[in-house]
Amino acid sequence: MDVQDSTDTSYYVSQLIDSLTSGEINPSDFGVKINQYSQTMTKNLFRDSLPKFISNLRSKTTDVFFRYFFNNESYQDNDLWKFVDYKDFWVQLRNFHDYIYSRSMDFTEVIQFFEETLSSTNSQPRLSYLEQRVIEQLDQTPYFLNKDLAKKFHVSEKKISHLMNGLRAKGISLGSSVDYSALGFYEFFTLGTHALHDDTMVVVHKYELFPSFSMGYGVSSEKISASSIYDVINKKIICNTRILTLGISLKDWSKNSVRRVKMPTPIQGEQTDFYVTPVSKDYILRLVRNCETNFKRPNIKQIANIFDVSIRTLFRIKSKLKDIGILEPRIILENKELMIILMISEKELVEFYNKVPFIRSYEVQDGDNNVKWMTFLSIFPSDFNFIYKKSNKSVDIFQVIEKNVLDQTTDNEKILLHLNQKT
């Protein structure tokens, strides 16, 4: 074998190992393929793929790898051996190496991680390998068309189309953020259920919370003055796709991660010169609301029919709003396997921004210019107790039980609560 052949073989074996630890290939198929190659080369490449581990942990991991895939009992078993039959063990090994492990951990703590991760249920949404890669790709390049994704992953456009429909059914979609203030609209929250007039109300989200509490989110065409109204002055939407697909618990991030938080850009940014005429307000609002949930395919034909405006005009407006940054594509996550909690705090909860799957964070102020943060977090259910125990007395925590989306509300009999009056 010449040098070039050896280099090519090493590269292929390395790619096989990466496929195993990313979940692209199942362990049975990997075992068949890897046995065609030199054990010495494979051993060295596997060890080299785990550079962060201390020597002792690399040796234990390599022993388990060879005992399992090469049926070689000369390699001693250890406490890691009991995990190798779990379907996701090799994926979680890579996850642990890349995101969780620190050299201060002893072997007992390593074992504890795998016991908690592999034995827990509903730790993450069930996503196929292709679904995970598509989500991550759209997070990086949201303007990719289905044909681009098909080419990237060597599948048909039809398969990508079915996959995208499946993701939407799971509450994972390419939506968008909207800078409503740049369009002349006002976003707000009201604690308690709210009463608004039809001519100013555009859309409402009504949240039912636990412990017993309710609140609303709305967009209005006019500024509303009331003691219960908290105007949104900026907001941030963050989806951490790797945390979502790998199921990394908040406890593990908080204990071991030393990565710096990358601050997301507020959606309320510089004002633009885009002007919304009174006659166009209704259909522009309907358009951007559609884009919030489905950036690529807002229901433009229906909007055109309802408001008697041309489809071409709506596409042109969407393109303009995208170009000037009022409309920005984002991965939106409303998966039912995740728990949604609301945290109301005096300060921005930046410590969560790169440690949970999904966040909507709103800075709000009342009529007296008192500022608070309302942060909706989509978390793995197993993380709730950890968050609850770690939160201080200045942070109020509620579980979102139900979210209803309404076009308008005329319920004038509900009580409005001020943020400092809730019990």
Side-chain angles (χ1 to χ4, degrees), residues 251-361:
K251 179 175 65 175
D252 289 321
W253 269 114
S254 299
K255 183 177 180 181
N256 298 303
S257 176
V258 295
R259 297 190 176 200
R260 296 180 61 186
V261 175
K262 181 180 180 181
M263 293 295 293
T265 303
I267 292 172
Q268 255 82 340
E270 298 180 3
Q271 295 297 309
T272 70
D273 58 358
F274 187 86
Y275 176 66
V276 179
T277 64
V279 72
S280 66
K281 273 198 168 186
D282 287 341
Y283 65 75
I284 288 180
L285 240 295
R286 186 65 65 91
L287 173 65
V288 296
R289 284 288 301 162
N290 268 250
C291 290
E292 273 196 295
T293 57
N294 193 338
F295 176 77
K296 289 187 176 181
R297 292 188 176 182
N299 203 338
I300 284 182
K301 185 176 181 180
Q302 183 185 65
I303 298 171
N305 290 335
I306 292 174
F307 296 99
D308 193 25
V309 60
S310 74
I311 291 176
R312 187 173 182 178
T313 295
L314 292 172
F315 272 116
R316 189 167 60 246
I317 291 172
K318 178 192 173 185
S319 180
K320 174 67 173 177
L321 296 179
K322 179 194 71 175
D323 291 343
I324 62 180
I326 292 177
L327 196 64
E328 293 186 4
R330 301 278 177 89
I331 296 291
I332 303 298
L333 180 60
E334 294 187 348
N335 183 273
K336 293 181 179 179
E337 294 180 62
L338 300 176
M339 176 185 289
I340 303 176
I341 61 173
L342 166 65
M343 302 180 74
I344 301 176
S345 59
E346 301 288 340
K347 297 181 180 180
E348 185 177 8
L349 302 178
V350 295
E351 63 270 25
F352 292 109
Y353 281 173
N354 68 347
K355 295 182 175 66
V356 300
F358 188 70
I359 285 184
R360 292 181 187 266
S361 184

Side-chain angles (χ1 to χ4, degrees), residues 25 65 95 97 100 137 218 275 291 315 321-322 351 400:
I25 187 174
F65 176 85
N95 161 17
H97 174 274
I100 307 302
Q137 186 65 52
Y275 176 66
C291 290
F315 272 116
L321 296 179
K322 179 194 71 175
E351 63 270 25
V400 178

Side-chain angles (χ1 to χ4, degrees), residues 5 25 27-28 41 43 61-62 73 84 135 140 187 210 226 240 252 264 301 325 370 372 381 384 393 401:
D5 288 341
I25 187 174
S28 297
M41 174 190 294
K43 178 178 180 179
T61 307
T62 304
E73 295 185 0
V84 294
I135 292 169
Q140 298 171 13
E187 284 182 278
F210 178 85
N240 295 302
D252 289 321
K301 185 176 181 180
N370 297 311
K372 290 187 180 293
F384 177 75
K393 294 181 179 180
I401 303 299

Side-chain angles (χ1 to χ4, degrees), residues 229-244:
I229 297 296
Y230 287 80
D231 294 317
V232 174
I233 55 180
N234 75 64
K235 62 182 178 180
K236 299 169 184 178
I237 299 175
I238 311 106
C239 184
N240 295 302
T241 56
R242 290 299 283 168
I243 293 175
L244 169 67

Side-chain angles (χ1 to χ4, degrees), residues 50-91:
L50 304 170
K52 288 175 60 178
F53 286 167
I54 61 172
S55 177
N56 183 51
L57 182 55
R58 272 208 310 272
S59 295
K60 288 179 180 295
T61 307
T62 304
D63 286 350
V64 166
F65 176 85
F66 264 81
R67 186 180 177 88
Y68 185 74
F69 287 111
F70 289 92
N71 196 27
N72 190 334
E73 295 185 0
S74 66
Y75 289 91
Q76 295 297 311
D77 61 358
N78 52 64
D79 285 342
L80 284 172
W81 178 253
K82 61 187 176 183
F83 302 118
V84 294
D85 284 328
Y86 282 90
K87 178 183 176 182
D88 296 328
F89 171 69
W90 302 103
V91 176

